[in-house]
């Protein structure tokens, strides 16, 4: 019964990892982006920016409107034919087409067009920054899943070795070659390794749940992942954080979006300032109409009256803002303060990006050395453990020393796994700051 439980426990991870449907890191990222509500919201916002830009461009064109009206006059009124007062009911119908073109408005419309264009560019960078942020978040959890997937395999190997040693040493105890305390120590080691495997499987499942949540994957759908290729060990010592920062200033969507947001706020301030200037407009129109007396007297036909009453006009108007309840001046002052806020936010973004780059450079350099040393240590620990196994069989060391050796080897393998995956994550992040792709 005990052997069956061990075999069943060992089969849990292998059963998990042997399914056919396996997703790569790129597939997880693509799925997460497509099913991210923030992505859909930003796409909709970018459409709004596009409509705003089209509207501002249309502001340079003259407006064109048409109108018509019908009126009935009862009792005393003006005769439309003789323009004298009469006491007869009348019917009248008027038609008009009119247009207006703004010639000067303090350049406010020009700044509106520039602001709309900047906002549209900003929207594209914000969308890309959102994709990049989602990519990194998914990638971070993905590597955590890989880590626990690796620890499950290591724990499985550890348990397999313990089961094998326990079986062998139980036979040696029966032959009188090993003592009962040594056998008890091996049984405790086997139980500890079984518990370790169970815990690692649970941690793996928890990370899978986190990854599914980040991807917005349906709860009932299984998620299996494929291992990533190891990133090459690189030497970033020849390129300083400042050099990478200078590259990031021209390629990083987060920085570009922040700069464009500052520019859009500056244009908003200029628009508000332009509204303090006079507005010069050119107006023109065409009108005609039809009327008749409602007392049964003859009247000119509809078409004849339309031709006879044709009229047109052209005019220019100048509007000078003198006092509007402080609304225009207050808006300009508010825009100026929003510009100050935007400038500080942009500076804060730049400082944050430089700090992130500096940290990424230090992480890649440090993890590169750690990973190399971890690999060498694992090789040394493996050789030492094999030697300790032989010493134990020959009675040169006790079971406690062998257990310590086994645990040291496991810890070394786990540390090598952790530093390797951490290095891959930081390497991709540093490459992203240089203008490369996260995935």
């Amino acid at each position: 019964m005990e052997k069956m439980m061990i075999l069943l426990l060992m089969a849990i991870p292998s059963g998990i990892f042997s399914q056919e449907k396996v997703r790569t890191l790129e597939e997880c990222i693509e799925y997460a982006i497509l099913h991210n509500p923030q992505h859909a919201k930003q796409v909709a916002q970018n459409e709004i920016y596009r409509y705003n830009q089209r509207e501002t461009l249309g502001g340079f064109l003259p407006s064109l409107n048409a109108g018509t009206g019908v009126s009935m006059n009862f009792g005393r009124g003006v005769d439309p034919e003789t323009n004298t007062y009469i006491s007869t009911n009348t019917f009248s119908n008027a038609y008009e087409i009119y247009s207006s073109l703004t010639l000067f408005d303090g350049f406010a419309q020009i700044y509106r067009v520039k602001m709309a264009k900047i906002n549209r560019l900003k929207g594209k960078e914000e969308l890309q920054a959102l994709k990049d942020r989602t990519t990194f978040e998914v990638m971070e959890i993905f590597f955590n899943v890989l880590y626990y997937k690796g620890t499950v395999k290591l724990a499985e190997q550890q348990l397999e070795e313990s089961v094998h040693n326990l079986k062998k040493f139980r036979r040696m105890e029966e032959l009188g070659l090993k003592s009962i305390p040594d056998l008890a120590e091996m049984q405790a080691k086997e139980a500890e390794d079984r518990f370790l495997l169970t815990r690692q499987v649970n941690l793996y499942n928890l990370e899978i749940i986190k990854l599914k949540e980040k991807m917005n994957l349906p709860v009932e759908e299984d998620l299996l992942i494929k291992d990533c290729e190891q990133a090459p060990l690189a030497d970033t010592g020849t390129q300083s954080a400042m050099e990478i920062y200078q590259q990031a200033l021209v390629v990083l969507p987060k920085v570009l979006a922040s700069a464009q947001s500052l520019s859009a706020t500056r244009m908003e301030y200029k628009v508000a300032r332009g509204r303090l200037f006079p507005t010069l407009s050119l107006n023109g129109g065409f009108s005609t109409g039809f009327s008749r007396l409602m007392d049964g007297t003859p009247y000119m036909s509809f078409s004849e009256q339309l031709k006879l009453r044709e009229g047109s006009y052209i005019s220019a108007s100048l509007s000078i803002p003198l006092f509007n309840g402080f609304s225009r001046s207050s808006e300009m002052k508010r825009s100026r303060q929003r510009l100050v806020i935007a400038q500080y936010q942009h500076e804060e973004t730049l400082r944050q990006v430089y700090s992130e780059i500096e940290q990424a450079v230090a992480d890649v350099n440090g993890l590169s050395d750690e990973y190399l040393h971890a690999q060498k240590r694992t090789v040394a620990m493996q050789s030492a453990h094999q030697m300790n196994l032989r010493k134990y069989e020959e009675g040169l060391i006790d079971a406690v020393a062998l257990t310590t050796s086994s645990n040291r080897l496991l810890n070394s393998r786990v540390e090598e796994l952790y530093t390797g995956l951490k290095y891959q994550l930081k390497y991709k992040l540093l490459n992203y700051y240089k203008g490369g792709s996260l995935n």
Side-chain angles (χ1 to χ4, degrees), residues 275-277 319-331:
R275 294 181 68 237
L276 298 177
F277 288 84
S319 176
I320 303 175
L322 298 178
F323 180 74
N324 297 276
F326 307 110
S327 62
R328 298 195 181 198
S329 60
S330 296
E331 177 58 27

Side-chain angles (χ1 to χ4, degrees), residues 1 12 23-24 43 88 102 152 161 266 289 372 401 438:
M1 183 66 180
I12 290 176
R23 293 180 188 265
T24 63
V43 170
T88 304
T102 301
V152 166
E161 179 183 316
R266 186 176 291 111
L372 286 174
L438 270 172

Side-chain angles (χ1 to χ4, degrees), residues 193-296:
D193 291 341
R194 188 188 307 174
F195 168 76
L196 176 63
L197 175 58
T198 303
R199 184 175 63 180
Q200 296 306 311
V201 170
N202 291 335
L203 292 173
Y204 168 81
N205 290 332
L206 288 176
E207 289 301 318
I208 284 290
I209 292 173
K210 291 180 184 179
L211 184 56
K212 290 172 67 175
E213 180 181 0
K214 177 58 63 175
M215 293 171 57
N216 286 299
L217 195 70
V219 179
E220 66 277 3
E221 186 172 340
D222 292 333
L223 177 60
L224 308 170
I225 65 172
K226 183 179 180 181
D227 293 343
C228 296
E229 294 183 2
Q230 175 67 44
L233 293 178
D235 180 15
T236 59
T238 57
Q239 193 171 22
S240 66
M242 180 56 69
E243 291 174 334
I244 299 175
Y245 172 71
Q246 294 298 329
Q247 293 176 265
L249 291 180
V250 295
V251 298
L252 200 63
K254 179 180 178 180
V255 173
L256 297 178
S258 177
Q260 287 159 354
S261 179
L262 175 60
S263 298
T265 307
R266 186 176 291 111
M267 291 299 108
E268 180 185 357
Y269 166 69
K270 292 182 178 180
V271 169
R273 188 180 60 184
R275 294 181 68 237
L276 298 177
F277 288 84
T279 300
L280 177 63
S281 302
L282 180 66
N283 310 291
F286 171 84
S287 62
T288 185
F290 167 80
S291 65
R292 58 163 294 188
L293 301 177
M294 304 299 292
D295 58 358

Side-chain angles (χ1 to χ4, degrees), residues 334-362:
R334 283 194 295 267
S335 299
R336 182 185 298 161
Q337 297 307 312
R338 284 194 287 265
L339 178 58
V340 173
I341 294 173
Q343 288 172 336
Y344 281 112
Q345 288 177 337
H346 182 60
E347 292 174 3
E348 183 180 352
T349 299
L350 295 182
R351 284 195 298 269
Q352 181 183 4
V353 169
Y354 180 77
S355 178
E356 292 172 356
I357 292 174
E358 199 172 30
Q359 183 65 49
V361 171

Side-chain angles (χ1 to χ4, degrees), residues 20-202:
E20 294 182 359
K21 189 177 181 181
V22 180
R23 293 180 188 265
T24 63
L25 173 60
E26 290 74 16
E27 290 172 340
C28 291
I29 291 172
E30 182 180 1
Y31 188 96
I33 291 175
L34 290 177
H35 295 82
N36 186 353
Q38 297 298 324
H39 177 269
K41 288 169 60 177
Q42 187 61 51
V43 170
Q45 181 62 53
N46 287 356
E47 284 298 297
I48 294 176
Y49 288 146
R50 186 170 69 88
Y51 298 144
N52 290 344
Q53 184 181 21
R54 184 175 63 178
E55 180 182 357
T56 55
L57 289 173
F60 288 111
L61 302 177
S63 63
L64 181 62
N65 300 279
T68 183
V70 176
S71 65
M72 291 285 295
N73 186 68
F74 302 95
R76 185 174 176 80
V78 178
D79 185 349
E81 295 289 341
T82 62
N83 205 29
T84 59
Y85 285 99
I86 58 175
S87 298
T88 304
N89 299 340
T90 60
F91 168 84
S92 59
N93 182 204
Y95 301 92
E96 182 182 14
I97 296 177
Y98 53 95
S99 178
S100 178
L101 175 64
T102 301
L103 301 179
F104 178 78
D105 61 352
F107 307 107
Q109 189 60 35
I110 294 176
Y111 294 131
R112 288 190 189 97
V113 172
K114 292 182 178 181
M115 182 174 66
K117 181 179 179 181
I118 292 171
N119 279 333
R120 190 172 180 185
L121 294 174
K122 181 187 71 171
K124 292 180 179 179
E125 297 300 338
E126 287 175 339
L127 180 60
Q128 186 59 51
L130 176 62
K131 291 180 179 179
D132 293 343
R133 185 167 62 251
T134 302
T135 297
F136 183 75
E137 290 173 354
V138 171
M139 188 166 62
E140 194 171 26
I141 301 176
F142 189 93
F143 280 124
N144 287 340
V145 173
L146 287 180
Y147 171 71
Y148 286 110
K149 181 180 177 181
T151 58
V152 166
K153 292 181 179 179
L154 292 175
E156 186 182 47
Q157 295 172 4
Q158 183 89 340
L159 178 59
E160 184 179 359
E161 179 183 316
S162 295
V163 171
H164 174 73
N165 289 338
L166 178 60
K167 181 179 179 181
K168 181 170 61 175
F169 296 151
R170 183 178 285 120
R171 179 61 179 166
M172 294 175 69
E173 188 272 334
E174 292 174 353
L175 297 175
L177 299 177
K178 294 295 179 183
S179 65
I180 293 179
D182 283 343
L183 180 60
E185 179 66 28
M186 296 307 299
Q187 289 175 332
K189 179 65 169 62
E190 183 267 346
E192 180 185 356
D193 291 341
R194 188 188 307 174
F195 168 76
L196 176 63
L197 175 58
T198 303
R199 184 175 63 180
Q200 296 306 311
V201 170
N202 291 335

